[in-house]
Amino acid sequence: QPAVAPGSSHTASPTPSTTPTAPASHPARTYTQAVPGSQEWTDTGIAVQAGDQLTISASGEIYVGATSASEGPAGNPGCTPAVSDPAQSAQFPAPSLTCWSLIARIGAGAPFEVGSGTQLTATSGDLYLGINGDSFTGNSGNWSATITVRSPAA
């Protein structure tokens, strides 16, 4: 028998509450997508809606022919096309983001940094994953991206 504080009463069952403790949410959908180093953009086949919460994480290495180096999804942290190579920066899909990093875009929207992982609130459109590079000739390998989409409660 649990102790009861003086002046309080003990009930056998908890009082039901009509206030939810957490907002209801739809189940998350999780996808795995290979991102080949040999092409600029990969269509994930995932259509997201405005307000969806996206979590994207990535691992693996691609070989970048232009630099003769392997890169993880974080890319080369010492390189930003607009700063490191202004003359060539227009050849990169996202000149202000890290060279040879994993990037994404929704529909025809502006590319954004993913690197090894990011979380964001989506706009509506198809999700594309890509490589912030200026040449794909001689590239090989794949990054593996895990994408989780959680729709807001109705």
Side-chain angles (χ1 to χ4, degrees), residues 16-138:
S17 172
T18 57
T19 305
T21 56
S25 66
H26 296 276
R29 301 175 314 242
T30 300
Y31 308 86
T32 300
Q33 175 70 52
V35 183
S38 58
Q39 64 190 44
E40 185 174 22
W41 291 107
T42 299
D43 184 349
T44 65
I46 301 169
V48 295
Q49 302 302 314
D52 283 354
Q53 296 298 310
L54 298 183
T55 302
I56 305 170
S57 61
S59 61
E61 286 194 348
I62 61 169
Y63 175 79
V64 179
T67 63
S68 300
S70 292
E71 297 288 353
N76 179 345
C79 176
T80 303
V83 174
S84 304
D85 192 1
Q88 283 291 109
S89 67
Q91 303 299 314
F92 288 76
S96 62
L97 301 179
T98 305
C99 297
W100 311 112
S101 63
L102 178 61
I103 57 174
R105 75 173 201 258
I106 298 172
F112 56 90
E113 187 82 39
V114 173
S116 297
T118 193
Q119 293 183 334
L120 67 137
T121 301
T123 57
S124 292
D126 294 331
L127 178 65
Y128 293 84
L129 297 177
I131 298 165
N132 195 28
D134 63 343
S135 173
F136 302 91
T137 303

